[in-house]
Amino acid sequence: MASVPILDMSLLHLRASNARKTVVDEIGRACKTLGCFQVINHGIGECVTKDALEVARQFFNLSEDEKMALASEDIMRPVRFGANSKEGTTQKRLFLKHYANPLSEWIQLWPAAPCGYREKMGKYAVEARSIALQLMDAIMESLGLGDTCLKDKFDKGMQVMAVNSYPQNMSSAPAVGFAPHSDFGIITLLLQSCQGLQILDRGQTWKAAPCAAGALHVHIGDYMEVLSNGRYKSLIHRAILRSEQKRFSIASIHGFPMDDSVGVPEELVDEHNSKKYRDSNFRDFMNYLSSVGDSSKKRFIDQLKLQEG
């Protein structure tokens, strides 16, 4: 089991005391040493998270015809159902991806079935976004950039909801449901029905991430690695199938607006720290994904790295 810090997010609101600085420092340390952390006391009610996971389960229990009506090979579609069976996986993961910010622009494109999906997943999406904005501000502060740095970009940014269903492992051997990868965004908030997430630690060892009751798992994406000029590395992770039951997860992935460039802030570049990544945007990532097909083989972040000197 990985030793993932579990941080009390309510302390971020205590600006008049040292408590906020302490938790900001802890967030920065977790980002630097591990690439992830978990938060409790985040303000999302248990009924909201339970409802979101329940409608996710109900969606994957729909008939094949109902789900396939949302299937597409076009990865730019704002709502898309599909199945992954990449190199390095042993069984298919089913997924439903849809854009979520601003919610009013996208929610009418979300599945109308099961009953309550839009309402319950929409409520979770809005609350997850609020948490993500607070955390992105805190991470910027941990980099010494101030908690309002890039705030306008964050406020108007992309939110992609990736709703996942992993089958039960019917084999006696360990089975991978999602091959090793890093997320493209700035940060990802992960809600999961049970344990199954594994993270690659700095010693290049796979370790199970805890699934503490009420906690949200937060990990660093490729674009946060760019924004930090490499101080915070994106987390490589994978999903392991469970023999006891199916597993459901909801990844809320956050970034800049589609065509806004993400680059290294000038405050993090000086004579001792050169710029290590080229600028790019979310559309660049989508075009890259279309060209390589399997992002588990070639990570997008590697295409952004500038040669030393």
Side-chain angles (χ1 to χ4, degrees):
M1 184 74 68
S3 179
V4 177
I6 299 178
L7 307 179
D8 185 346
M9 196 171 162
S10 67
L11 300 179
L12 288 177
H13 303 294
L14 303 179
R15 293 180 177 271
S17 72
N18 288 327
R20 177 182 169 87
K21 183 180 184 307
T22 298
V23 75
V24 166
D25 289 345
E26 290 175 343
I27 287 172
R29 188 158 45 250
C31 290
K32 185 174 183 178
T33 60
L34 193 59
C36 67
F37 55 94
Q38 296 189 356
V39 291
I40 56 173
N41 296 328
H42 41 68
I44 303 180
E46 184 180 1
C47 61
V48 175
T49 56
K50 281 188 173 181
D51 282 352
L53 287 169
E54 176 58 20
V55 291
R57 184 191 66 79
Q58 291 173 4
F59 171 81
F60 291 112
N61 282 341
L62 294 175
S63 70
E64 285 303 303
D65 287 346
E66 289 176 286
K67 289 181 292 199
M68 290 304 294
L70 299 170
S72 174
E73 295 298 319
D74 179 6
I75 65 172
M76 294 296 290
R77 279 192 62 175
V79 179
R80 186 168 68 98
F81 169 76
N84 276 44
S85 185
K86 297 179 179 179
E87 182 177 329
T89 61
T90 50
Q91 296 186 50
K92 288 184 178 179
R93 145 194 171 252
L94 301 179
F95 66 82
L96 174 67
K97 294 182 179 179
H98 44 66
Y99 297 168
N101 187 58
L103 188 65
S104 59
E105 183 175 329
W106 303 113
I107 195 168
Q108 295 306 313
L109 301 177
W110 290 12
C115 179
Y117 183 90
R118 291 175 180 175
E119 175 191 355
K120 293 174 180 178
M121 190 64 72
K123 187 169 185 178
Y124 174 71
V126 168
E127 298 204 21
R129 177 147 187 83
S130 174
I131 299 306
L133 290 173
Q134 295 174 55
L135 290 172
M136 288 189 287
D137 288 349
I139 293 172
M140 290 296 101
E141 187 176 344
S142 77
L143 288 166
L145 298 174
D147 64 350
T148 59
C149 179
L150 304 174
K151 189 170 182 59
D152 185 59
K153 301 275 191 184
F154 292 151
D155 288 346
K156 297 176 181 177
M158 296 281 297
Q159 179 184 13
V160 178
M161 306 292 288
V163 186
N164 306 295
S165 173
Y166 295 96
Q168 188 175 354
N169 180 17
M170 306 307 291
S171 168
S172 58
V176 177
F178 200 166
H181 65 286
S182 58
D183 289 351
F184 59 85
I186 294 175
I187 65 170
T188 297
L189 272 62
L190 185 70
L191 172 66
Q192 48 187 340
S193 63
C194 60
Q195 199 173 34
L197 174 69
Q198 287 193 342
I199 63 175
L200 190 65
D201 69 13
R202 296 297 189 246
Q204 299 301 296
T205 301
W206 286 109
K207 292 185 177 178
C211 185
L216 289 174
H217 183 89
V218 182
H219 59 247
I220 298 304
D222 288 346
Y223 276 129
M224 181 57 80
E225 183 170 332
V226 172
L227 285 175
S228 69
N229 202 24
R231 293 187 190 179
Y232 301 161
K233 298 293 193 297
S234 56
L235 179 73
I236 298 177
H237 54 287
R238 67 182 182 183
I240 300 298
L241 304 185
R242 294 178 61 87
S243 59
E244 304 93 341
Q245 62 198 79
K246 288 184 177 182
R247 175 175 173 263
F248 301 95
S249 70
I250 305 170
S252 180
I253 306 169
H254 302 266
F256 278 11
M258 175 79 75
D259 293 304
D260 283 20
S261 289
V262 182
V264 178
E266 60 181 19
E267 296 91 334
L268 298 183
V269 178
D270 56 35
E271 58 182 326
H272 303 294
N273 298 283
S274 61
K275 181 178 178 179
K276 296 181 175 63
Y277 304 85
R278 64 179 178 85
D279 295 3
S280 71
N281 57 40
F282 180 73
R283 196 177 299 277
D284 293 334
F285 167 75
M286 299 299 275
N287 291 334
Y288 173 78
L289 197 61
S290 295
S291 67
V292 302
D294 188 346
S295 60
S296 65
K297 296 179 183 177
K298 299 178 181 178
R299 294 173 63 213
F300 178 62
I301 189 67
D302 294 332
Q303 313 304 307
L304 302 181
K305 292 177 181 176
L306 297 171
Q307 299 224 341
E308 295 288 341

